[in-house]
Amino acid sequence: SVASYPPIPYDLAQMSPEERRELLPSLASIYVPMPYQYAIYDTLYRAIATTYRTADVVESTRAINAYYCSQSTNYATQADSGSILGVPGCGKTATVRRCLSTMPQVIEHTEYQGQPCYCKQVLWLHVECPSDCSVKTLGFGIMAALDRAIGSKYLQSTQGLRSASASAIAVQTKILLTNHHVGLLVVDEIQNAVLTARKNRQEKPLLRFLVELTNETMTSIYFIGTPVAEELFVSQEHLKRRTRGIRLAPFKPDGAYLDFLSKIWPYQYTAQAAPLTTSICNKLYDCSGGIPAYVIKIFAESQAQALLQGRSCINEKVIQQAVELLAIKVLRTYAAGINISDFEIGSATPEPPQEQEEIPRQYANKRGRKAAQRDDGDLLVAYNNEVDIQAHLKENGYLEVDYHGWPKDALGT
């Protein structure tokens, strides 16, 4: 199981406040499986499967032979590619890592069709987009990930060639991906390419390199990052179709959010456990914006403040103090996407929004002044009820009619 929950000591009731505070960092290890994570797993699994049904050089030759022999082929013409973007704190990286951890990373082959054949097949690699947007740095990152997976020393041998150019590193990277039959390359923090591009416009060489990897090595590539990366994807025509994928938005204040809270709520290390009331649920939602990482952070800090102040349990006041201490300020709007509340196991993935526009954040407690009580004679009530305004004015004595039949107001003018 990919779920992760911290332990609750059997002797918690006998622990001092200091000992309880030492348990709070373990709350960062909480990972609650949610339906949207199954959609991400399915996406990554299909990307790997597509790679191994892609026509590389050998399979292309076989396909041509099969064509002349009137045989059918089952090879794709291009590797899969896409992106998973979402509001920071929704759990993209943690989910991708845990999904990949359920699959074997390396498969060792010792024979093929009865003949000795030794090969280490790497199903997936996870790397981070370099902050300097450099092809060379990304190449080194891929080599390091490959070394960790199979115990090789490609990075060490390549770094010895300090004079090697970026193009030479790129070629070496392509060879390694091909030789080890890498099924999926996950490039995390892809928004780094956008942030660097704004400074010195160096994103094109890196993206060109990634596109070449897909075309030449037939390795599927998925980009993970924040909605900032969408700006780069839509600006390049050739990237639009290659970077489609899931777009994640925070929880709605609904049942899925309450289910998430109910899973983490037992992990309270204060002297008493605070009940999960509606007011606390709403307070946490409005302070976190429905972002899971913020919910857990506020939950942990609230307990820390309660223990420091000698309180028996957390409450709304302590939660507010924790938010102010953490300086958490949720943006008023965020990029359009599918709310993580909208995914359901066994159902099709919800349709993504057509327009990539910013949408306002949601609140559990309605904002603004309460609606004023209005009597039946109020003009606004009449307008909302689609009542004839002139008839309404006459009926309520706001208009009088003189002897010529012309209306005049109640002041007699």
Side-chain angles (χ1 to χ4, degrees):
S1 174
V2 298
S4 174
Y5 299 102
I8 299 180
Y10 68 91
D11 58 344
L12 181 63
Q14 285 76 42
M15 286 186 173
S16 66
E18 290 75 17
E19 292 173 322
R20 293 170 183 269
R21 280 176 54 82
E22 291 179 359
L23 296 173
L24 294 179
S26 65
L27 295 177
S29 66
I30 291 179
Y31 183 82
V32 181
M34 289 177 278
Y36 83 92
Q37 294 152 357
Y38 291 88
I40 291 179
Y41 175 89
D42 180 65
T43 297
L44 300 177
Y45 179 87
R46 285 186 287 110
I48 295 175
T50 300
T51 296
Y52 298 123
R53 286 184 173 272
T54 301
D56 57 18
V57 177
V58 176
E59 304 307 335
S60 296
T61 304
R62 290 181 180 175
I64 293 173
N65 292 335
Y67 174 79
Y68 284 106
C69 295
S70 299
Q71 298 176 357
S72 62
T73 59
N74 293 313
Y75 301 110
T77 58
Q78 191 177 49
D80 191 15
S81 63
S83 62
I84 300 172
L85 307 181
V87 175
C90 281
K92 303 177 298 300
T93 298
T95 298
V96 168
R97 286 183 179 275
R98 289 176 182 269
C99 288
L100 292 176
S101 70
T102 63
M103 311 175 195
Q105 187 175 17
V106 180
I107 299 176
E108 293 191 17
H109 301 275
T110 56
E111 65 175 38
Y112 177 71
Q113 294 183 349
Q115 298 296 320
C117 176
Y118 184 77
C119 172
K120 287 187 177 181
Q121 176 187 355
V122 180
L123 267 66
W124 55 266
L125 291 176
H126 183 280
V127 299
E128 285 199 6
C129 179
S131 58
D132 61 356
C133 217
S134 163
V135 172
K136 204 169 183 178
T137 307
L138 180 60
F140 286 150
I142 294 174
M143 292 179 194
L146 196 57
D147 289 343
R148 289 192 297 270
I150 63 177
S152 55
K153 295 183 179 180
Y154 292 124
L155 180 61
Q156 180 179 341
S157 60
T158 305
Q159 283 184 326
L161 304 174
R162 297 187 178 182
S163 59
S165 64
S167 58
I169 299 299
V171 171
Q172 179 68 9
T173 303
K174 295 174 187 176
I175 293 173
L176 292 176
L177 291 177
T178 303
N179 287 346
H180 291 286
H181 314 287
V182 177
L184 173 65
L185 176 64
V186 175
V187 182
D188 208 344
E189 305 296 344
I190 190 60
Q191 71 274 3
N192 288 347
V194 181
L195 300 176
T196 302
R198 289 174 177 173
K199 296 180 180 179
N200 46 26
R201 301 182 180 275
Q202 287 186 349
E203 85 282 2
K204 290 185 178 180
L206 179 65
L207 294 175
R208 191 182 304 117
F209 170 56
L210 292 171
V211 172
E212 289 175 0
L213 286 182
T214 305
N215 294 337
E216 298 180 22
T217 68
M218 295 301 171
T219 297
S220 295
I221 295 181
Y222 260 77
F223 304 104
I224 314 297
T226 68
V228 174
E230 194 75 57
E231 172 189 327
L232 177 62
F233 294 158
V234 299
S235 67
Q236 305 289 329
E237 191 64 33
H238 67 285
L239 288 177
K240 286 183 180 180
R241 67 181 178 86
R242 297 175 183 270
T243 55
R244 295 301 83 204
I246 298 173
R247 302 293 184 264
L248 297 174
F251 276 118
K252 293 178 179 177
D254 59 3
Y257 164 71
L258 294 178
D259 182 65
F260 175 77
L261 273 189
S262 67
K263 297 286 180 59
I264 70 172
W265 208 248
Y267 300 95
Q268 298 184 56
Y269 300 124
T270 49
Q272 297 178 7
L276 187 58
T277 62
T278 301
S279 59
I280 285 183
C281 290
N282 292 345
K283 179 69 174 179
L284 267 173
Y285 184 88
D286 290 343
C287 291
S288 66
I291 298 173
Y294 281 173
V295 173
I296 294 176
K297 190 72 174 176
I298 294 171
F299 180 54
E301 187 59 36
S302 298
Q303 294 188 53
Q305 293 304 309
L307 290 170
L308 279 174
Q309 298 171 20
R311 296 177 180 270
S312 59
C313 63
I314 62 176
N315 54 34
E316 292 182 55
K317 182 179 179 181
V318 175
I319 291 174
Q320 183 61 43
Q321 292 173 346
V323 172
E324 293 173 356
L325 182 66
L326 295 170
I328 292 178
K329 294 186 182 297
V330 181
L331 297 177
R332 294 180 179 272
T333 61
Y334 50 80
I338 304 172
N339 293 94
I340 56 182
S341 300
D342 293 337
F343 290 83
E344 293 183 10
I345 298 176
S347 300
T349 301
E351 287 293 326
Q354 298 298 320
E355 299 290 336
Q356 290 298 325
E357 298 177 352
E358 289 190 338
I359 56 178
R361 60 169 292 194
Q362 299 186 40
Y363 292 92
N365 295 307
K366 292 184 178 180
R367 291 299 194 261
R369 294 179 298 178
K370 293 183 178 180
Q373 295 293 327
R374 299 177 181 272
D375 57 36
D376 293 338
D378 193 282
L379 282 175
L380 184 58
V381 174
Y383 178 79
N384 291 334
N385 294 333
E386 299 182 354
V387 174
D388 181 83
I389 298 300
Q390 186 171 346
H392 177 79
L393 292 173
K394 289 180 181 179
E395 181 181 347
N396 289 276
Y398 295 123
L399 284 180
E400 294 181 359
V401 180
D402 63 13
Y403 62 90
H404 293 296
W406 297 97
K408 61 181 181 178
D409 63 28
L411 296 178
T413 59

